[in-house]
Amino acid sequence: MGKIVARDRLIFALDVPSAAEAERLLDRLQGHISFVKIGLELYTAAGPDMIKRVLDRNMRVFLDLKFLDIEETVRRATARVAAMGVDFLTVHANRKALTAAVQGREGSSLKLLAVTVLTNFDSNDLREMGIQRTVQDLVTARALLASEVGCDGVVASGEEPAAIRQKVGPRFVIVTPGVRPAGKGVDDHARATTPTQTIAAGADYLVIGRPIRDAADPSATVTEIVNEMQAAFDARTA
């Protein structure tokens, strides 16, 4: 395996309410980040034009819209996303939705990530939904389903990559949100992990938003995170 470049594996969650604020942050981080997540808040405010703006900066885009609808809707919406030049798209880990998304992205390079269990959920949340499985059991079952229907990877917390690897092997992409540098607080994530913990567990990409967005010096914060990530990747591949 070749050397993993940590800078390419950090996805900055651009969770801001407007295109203008997004542009200001991207200006400050130009040259420090190469991959950006656009989620519900910014996509609702700025739409597909925001994707084009990020791509015009030669940055990759992870579109985190967590599709879940009837098959026709998911298939057609996924085809539209694929045409935009996005790298990653999230779809909830429902067999019909995932299968439709795989059909919709046919002929493109779009990678589909199944959302397993949101990182702010714990076992109590699952019980309230009538689900008796543990979080880890549900995550791994959904990862196996995603692999079976032809998805490229999953979104899962930093507590689950090792268990996922046992089910689906080393090539399945694992993207982990809810990553927090030590001492920075976990916000609303019930299953938060540090960059070192997340990479040691087997994750491929780390999604980090608020610790960078809200920092006094976002670019310096990115440098610190990337340095920690690089050390963890180097240790994992040594």
Side-chain angles (χ1 to χ4, degrees), residues 121-131 133 135:
F121 280 23
D122 59 21
S123 295
N124 291 327
D125 296 301
L126 297 186
R127 282 194 292 273
E128 286 184 357
M129 298 166 65
I131 299 172
R133 290 179 169 180
V135 170

Side-chain angles (χ1 to χ4, degrees), residues 133-184:
R133 290 179 169 180
T134 66
V135 170
Q136 182 169 298
D137 284 348
L138 185 57
V139 167
T140 54
R142 288 177 169 174
L144 186 58
L145 168 64
S147 177
E148 289 173 351
V149 301
C151 290
D152 303 282
V154 291
V155 177
S157 89
E159 295 183 358
E160 292 101 31
I164 292 170
R165 291 286 178 221
Q166 291 179 354
K167 289 284 187 179
V168 298
R171 296 190 178 182
F172 207 55
V173 177
I174 300 176
V175 177
T176 298
V179 179
R180 292 292 182 268
K184 295 296 185 182

Side-chain angles (χ1 to χ4, degrees), residues 22 25 55 68-69 104 123 125 143 153 162 169 180:
L25 258 177
L55 293 175
L68 179 60
D69 213 310
S123 295
D125 296 301
R180 292 292 182 268

